Amino acid sequence: MDAATLGALGVIVVGLASATAAWIGQRGANRVNQSGAVLGGYSTLVDNLQEERADLRTKLSEAERLLAAAYAELAGERADKARLQAEITELNAEVTRLRGRIAELGGQPT
């Protein structure tokens, strides 16, 4: 083989080696890009979930505050009802006493 043939053969071998290296390098880059996309998507998903959890905690605390206020209002209404019930009982006793007094005085209670 002469020098020109060896040179051409060397260029072909170097070209094939370069093409193979480029192909392998591109596959590695694709893997890295795909991995980065997966990690980026995961990170975004985690961020979204954390924001949603924070929003839900805020809504929960507001609902608990409203529930506590409703229970306090209910307790106040129950106390008012008990007070009114006691007043009704006192007034019924007063009516009964007054009817008895009318009857004692010779009147006709209605």
Side-chain angles (χ1 to χ4, degrees):
M1 284 204 217
D2 62 351
T5 306
L6 285 177
L9 192 56
V11 168
I12 291 173
V13 170
V14 169
L16 287 174
S18 297
T20 303
W23 178 67
I24 291 172
Q26 183 61 35
R27 286 183 61 203
N30 286 343
R31 269 194 217 126
V32 168
N33 287 339
Q34 187 178 21
S35 176
V38 169
L39 289 177
Y42 176 76
S43 177
T44 302
L45 178 62
V46 168
D47 290 343
N48 290 343
L49 288 174
Q50 287 175 343
E51 288 175 15
E52 185 176 348
R53 184 176 60 186
D55 290 342
L56 290 175
R57 281 186 178 162
T58 302
K59 288 178 183 178
L60 177 62
S61 64
E62 177 64 15
E64 287 174 341
R65 185 190 66 78
L66 292 173
L67 183 61
Y71 274 125
E73 184 179 344
L74 179 62
E77 288 178 1
R78 284 181 176 167
D80 288 344
K81 180 183 175 186
R83 183 184 52 78
L84 290 173
Q85 194 66 40
E87 189 175 334
I88 288 170
T89 302
E90 288 176 21
L91 291 174
N92 281 332
E94 180 70 13
V95 167
T96 302
R97 186 187 69 77
L98 290 174
R99 283 190 177 153
R101 183 73 176 132
I102 290 172
E104 284 176 8
L105 294 174
Q108 214 37 29
T110 55

